[in-house]
Amino acid sequence: GIAGQIAWVANGTAGTSTATYGDPARSGGARTPGSFGQMSGFGGGLSAEELVAVVYYERVTHGGLDDVAAEAELHLLEELLQVMEEEGVDLDSGLQAEDLQYLIDTARAGADGDEEHAAG
């Protein structure tokens, strides 16, 4: 999911507590961190906006999102950036997928609220 991917890019192989990643239904199944080498974390070298932009690019370009799904994901990530700023998230702190999922759920609630407000 998106929380795991953000944590992966921010923390790299050594700083990520994910046991597996990727689609378990794909050919070959999910992957294990470090099985293809080690990746450095980029959380300390990227701003939150840059980190989210990298993840969005990866998900659209390599994840095969269609236009509708890409637009929805972009809106969610914009909301996530606002939540991260409000919460004072420090990318150097080794934020894990579980922590990010809470922030994403908060952002999703905000995004859904915006859609309801726009429709109402």
Side-chain angles (χ1 to χ4, degrees), residues 45-99:
L46 298 176
S47 69
E49 292 84 5
E50 291 168 330
L51 176 66
V52 166
V54 166
V55 169
Y56 178 72
Y57 173 82
E58 289 175 343
R59 293 176 70 79
V60 171
T61 303
H62 304 295
L65 297 180
D66 63 27
D67 290 343
V68 173
E71 182 67 29
E73 188 132 316
L74 179 60
H75 187 62
L76 174 63
L77 291 170
E78 289 170 342
E79 290 288 329
L80 175 61
L81 284 172
Q82 289 180 357
V83 170
M84 290 172 75
E85 183 177 330
E86 290 167 4
E87 296 285 328
V89 172
D90 178 13
L91 297 178
D92 291 330
S93 67
L95 201 59
Q96 294 297 314
E98 301 81 22
D99 304 316

Side-chain angles (χ1 to χ4, degrees), residues 26-40:
R26 74 166 191 70
S27 176
R31 295 199 166 122
T32 303
S35 60
F36 291 98
Q38 302 294 311
M39 182 180 95
S40 298

Side-chain angles (χ1 to χ4, degrees), residues 2-29:
I2 195 165
Q5 189 168 0
I6 292 171
W8 177 260
V9 173
N11 302 323
T13 305
T16 302
S17 64
T18 304
T20 61
Y21 68 95
D23 184 359
R26 74 166 191 70
S27 176

